[in-house]
Amino acid sequence: MKLEVFKAEHFSLDTNKIAADKSISHRCAIFSLLSDKPSFIRNYLEGEDTLDTLEIAKKLGLKVERQDGGLLLVPPKMILEPDTILYCGNAGTAIRLYLGLLSAQNGIFVLSGDMYLNKRPMRRVVEPLRSIGAEILGRENGNFAPLVVVGNPALSAFDFTSKIPSAQVKSAMILSALFAKGESYYCEPELSRDHSERILMGMGAEIESQMQGSAAHIRIKPLKEKLKPLTLEIPADPSSAFFFALALAITPNARGVLRNVLLNKTRIEAFKVLEKMGVQINYHITAETYERIGDIEVVAPKVLKAVSVSENIAWLIDEIPAIAIAMACAKGVSCVTGAQELRVKETDRIKAVVDNLKLCGIDAEEKEDGFTICGGEFKKACVPSYGDHRIAMSFAIAGLKCGMEIENAEYINISFPNFLEILKTITPIKES
């Protein structure tokens, strides 16, 4: 699908239609397998990634019933060995978390994805799991899917220090540790998204997390019994909400409210970057259950200021393509450093961002671990999505400045199926 976005003038926005949180949706589907009673989830994200995760859970024995405006997730007595490939689509979270869980189960499991996922490196998860007794086979010695997991219910406990802050690596190791022989310890150099720890602790898992300086230290005890079920209404995804915060930020004097958004501190760092660029942002807390939830008010300045981004990269890795659009609209030279992780996302996001900005007439330079961008005036262009939902949405928002055509824009449906519905309230768009 090719998407054409037209230039928009000044606008305001007040929406409660932001897509449900993708990270929490993935985890609800996977973690519900570990309970002995049905979980009830409202507002599960029905994007392609999270539906693939749910479909895998069903093949592992989970029963899913639509009931009272939500999903009733009925777990099996034990995880089943499937008679078919477990298809993860484009979902890196799904394949990596399932690697951790299934490594500790009885059975043989084959995990595969689409052409983009099967090009993404998996060694960062596979090698730590192998070090504790997991048997995982795959292309290039397990670096690329399809991956075959030969489950081992007798995995070793571990004391593992990760060189990178990664919620996916951490979550995979935590899931394996729940079935290990003894207490396990996991350390990462800085705290990555902590939804897995929070939700699993809320379900009764014995997990302790402490900060020592910037490093996060986690102790995990193996399960003595099944976990308690989840009862949860999933809030709006702050990474999805950020695209419309961006739309407001690049429109002088625009203002808006994004409602019922997850406010976990590891998920709103991109909004903090906008604040440094001169955007006024106010957070109004409305609830606190497993996570803090609230409304985000955004008021754009007349002119955005340039900014350097080098800290808390793990907290805003998904939003950096959108931040790049704000940088391109700012006055002065902005930069991102320390973001090598962008090279191994759905596509090489450093190269994709820089190449697409150049197509739009913006002066941008690629670095090994980020990029520099000189603010300027966008020109209408036709840009590829590279099969990456966040690249597609970022440049759709850039189209509000000049008009834009995005090729293969259907990948937006991976995480934000009603993105275009909200975008249409701002500007006309055309799909072909």
Side-chain angles (χ1 to χ4, degrees), residues 142-287:
N143 194 31
F144 298 104
L147 296 168
V148 179
V149 180
V150 181
N152 177 8
L155 292 179
S156 303
F158 58 82
D159 188 345
F160 181 80
T161 299
S162 177
K163 295 180 181 179
I164 58 171
S166 168
Q168 293 178 355
V169 176
K170 175 174 63 176
S171 298
M173 294 298 283
I174 288 174
L175 286 168
S176 70
L178 293 177
F179 300 91
K181 304 302 181 183
E183 292 186 3
S184 296
Y185 298 86
Y186 184 90
C187 176
E188 57 183 350
E190 60 184 86
L191 181 66
S192 62
R193 293 181 181 183
D194 59 355
H195 304 307
S196 292
E197 304 97 293
R198 286 175 177 268
I199 296 172
L200 288 169
M201 282 190 280
M203 296 176 74
E206 294 185 75
I207 299 173
E208 297 177 7
S209 181
Q210 293 182 337
M211 298 299 298
Q212 296 181 15
S214 61
H217 293 260
I218 303 167
R219 183 175 72 166
I220 312 106
K221 293 184 179 181
L223 293 180
K224 297 176 183 176
E225 57 187 7
K226 293 274 191 174
L227 295 176
K228 294 181 290 187
L230 282 164
T231 301
L232 179 64
E233 180 168 356
I234 300 175
D237 191 315
S239 299
S240 295
F242 188 73
F243 290 106
F244 290 99
L246 170 67
L248 292 161
I250 65 175
T251 306
N253 301 316
R255 61 174 58 232
V257 180
L258 309 168
R259 299 194 181 277
N260 195 42
V261 180
L262 175 68
L263 298 181
N264 180 301
K265 71 175 183 178
T266 68
R267 299 292 305 282
I268 58 172
E269 187 69 13
F271 292 89
K272 304 296 184 182
V273 173
L274 286 187
E275 289 185 66
K276 293 176 183 177
M277 299 182 78
V279 180
Q280 180 184 334
I281 297 182
N282 300 308
Y283 306 90
H284 305 284
I285 299 170
T286 57

Side-chain angles (χ1 to χ4, degrees), residues 29-57:
I30 297 170
F31 297 171
S32 65
L33 286 163
L34 305 181
S35 177
D36 59 351
K37 294 182 176 64
S39 294
F40 186 69
I41 308 299
R42 292 186 185 275
N43 201 34
Y44 186 88
L45 175 63
E46 301 209 12
E48 291 177 5
D49 271 12
T50 47
L51 289 175
D52 285 334
T53 297
L54 191 61
E55 189 62 30
I56 291 173

Side-chain angles (χ1 to χ4, degrees), residues 326-381:
M327 290 175 166
C329 295
K331 184 177 181 180
V333 178
S334 298
C335 67
V336 171
T337 56
Q340 297 95 328
E341 181 77 5
L342 287 171
R343 298 280 188 189
V344 293
K345 300 297 285 183
E346 281 81 341
T347 187
D348 181 341
R349 286 179 174 165
I350 292 175
K351 179 174 174 55
V353 163
V354 170
D355 286 354
N356 279 1
L357 285 176
K358 287 179 177 178
L359 289 174
C360 298
I362 299 296
D363 184 4
E365 183 179 354
E366 183 178 339
K367 304 291 186 182
E368 182 59 33
D369 63 346
F371 43 71
T372 59
I373 297 172
C374 182
E377 188 168 338
F378 270 93
K379 297 177 182 177
K380 183 176 180 179

